Amino acid sequence: TQNILTTMQSGETSNSSRWLTNRFFSNYTWETDTLGSAFEVNLNYTRRVSDSDREFSTSFIENVGDTPELYNALATSRDRPNIFEIRINHEEYIDSNFILEFGADVSALFNEKRFNRFIPESGQWVEDPLYTNSYDYQEQIGGLFAQVSKIWGKIGAQLGIRGEYTRLDGFSQSLNQQFMDSSYILPFPNAGMMYEPNDKLALTAYYSTGIDRPSFSNYDPFVRILDSLNVQFGNPYLRPSYNHTVGLEVDILYSYNISFSYSRYEDIASTLTFVDPVTFVTSSTPWNARLNEAYSLSLS
């Protein structure tokens, strides 16, 4: 007011992170005939390590005689998911222009998430049980798929379908209660057609569907105070984003490509933010926006 400084804020933050990814995979392929038909089995295992430490200190000074308000905290996080996956696939060549493909896959993710928060007492960091939490998260996905491809002279077509079952489970060790228990089934059709009137021009039209799953960190409902003015918490009711894409591609002289596509994303992940008008503390959480549309045009 009247160009007089009434409040002042100063702070400092230090961060450290540890990243490590271990992978193992095994593949077996059995060629069943001379046309190229094959039976394939894939096994995959991934273990990720993502740990971090964040220490921050903030001071508020009121220039009206009040004593400074200090806000110090230390937060440590441990995130180490284990991911297992098996995929079985068979590709059958009926003839050189007719291919049938079908199979199944199963994946499972297990993660013991830890988030510890400490406050200073007598010169030492002491765990704050109000904001410290740990939880177990599991994600299981099973899918069946089939696809057929056929060429008739100058015309080629492809049609496929995938069905997926997903189950999510989250249990809070800190609260000794389940905070997530949901499942859903989604179909993913796809189709494409190519027309090649001569060796200088090819037209391709396609339709595909897909899914964008939220990461397990976005499901975490516990409150995390990043600093004195920023608060985050997850949303265990967050839904996956389901998308549809249609497109057209034109290839000329095998050198130039013109492509156009339209994509529609339903329940796309977004962020909802609240600002307290008195304290100016900002709280944010993941949220599902209703719809997002995207158009793409390219020349290469």
Side-chain angles (χ1 to χ4, degrees), residues 28-228:
Y28 172 74
T29 302
W30 173 35
E31 296 183 359
T32 56
D33 59 34
T34 58
L35 292 176
S37 302
F39 177 80
E40 187 174 10
V41 178
N42 289 282
L43 299 174
N44 297 280
Y45 168 72
T46 302
R47 175 176 171 81
R48 296 192 179 99
V49 175
S50 175
D51 299 343
S52 65
D53 296 330
R54 174 183 173 87
E55 181 178 343
F56 53 89
S57 174
T58 307
S59 299
F60 292 97
I61 301 176
E62 297 279 353
N63 292 340
V64 291
D66 294 339
T67 58
E69 179 184 353
L70 302 178
Y71 192 92
N72 301 332
L74 169 67
T76 64
S77 174
R78 192 184 77 176
D79 190 8
R80 302 179 178 182
N82 295 274
I83 307 168
F84 303 86
E85 181 182 19
I86 179 171
R87 176 184 175 93
I88 300 174
N89 181 73
H90 180 64
E91 192 174 48
E92 181 71 25
Y93 279 75
I94 308 302
D95 55 46
S96 59
N97 295 321
F98 190 8
I99 305 173
L100 176 63
E101 184 179 4
F102 56 89
D105 54 64
V106 177
S107 66
L109 183 149
F110 303 93
N111 188 23
E112 295 181 0
K113 184 82 172 180
R114 299 292 181 265
F115 181 79
N116 300 316
R117 182 177 168 83
F118 303 87
I119 55 177
E121 285 187 8
S122 303
Q124 294 184 345
W125 291 113
V126 179
E127 185 174 292
D128 183 357
L130 183 62
Y131 295 107
T132 293
N133 66 77
S134 62
Y135 66 93
D136 297 332
Y137 173 80
Q138 297 181 18
E139 179 180 278
Q140 285 124 23
I141 302 171
L144 296 172
F145 58 89
Q147 181 172 281
V148 59
S149 304
K150 176 69 174 175
I151 298 177
W152 299 272
K154 298 180 179 181
I155 298 176
Q158 176 182 294
L159 181 65
I161 181 71
R162 173 181 171 85
E164 257 185 21
Y165 169 78
T166 301
R167 174 161 180 79
L168 308 175
D169 182 74
F171 185 84
S172 168
Q173 300 291 348
S174 303
L175 303 178
N176 193 30
Q177 71 180 37
Q178 193 167 30
F179 68 87
M180 176 181 290
D181 181 11
S182 64
S183 62
Y184 52 86
I185 298 176
L186 289 174
F188 299 99
N190 68 85
M193 179 169 290
M194 183 184 70
Y195 174 55
E196 193 172 17
N198 52 58
D199 59 358
K200 297 179 181 180
L201 179 66
L203 305 174
T204 303
Y206 64 90
Y207 165 74
S208 64
T209 54
I211 187 173
D212 186 9
R213 305 177 190 276
S215 66
F216 40 78
S217 59
N218 289 331
Y219 289 123
D220 181 0
F222 299 101
V223 174
R224 298 189 182 185
I225 299 180
L226 302 182
D227 54 41
S228 56

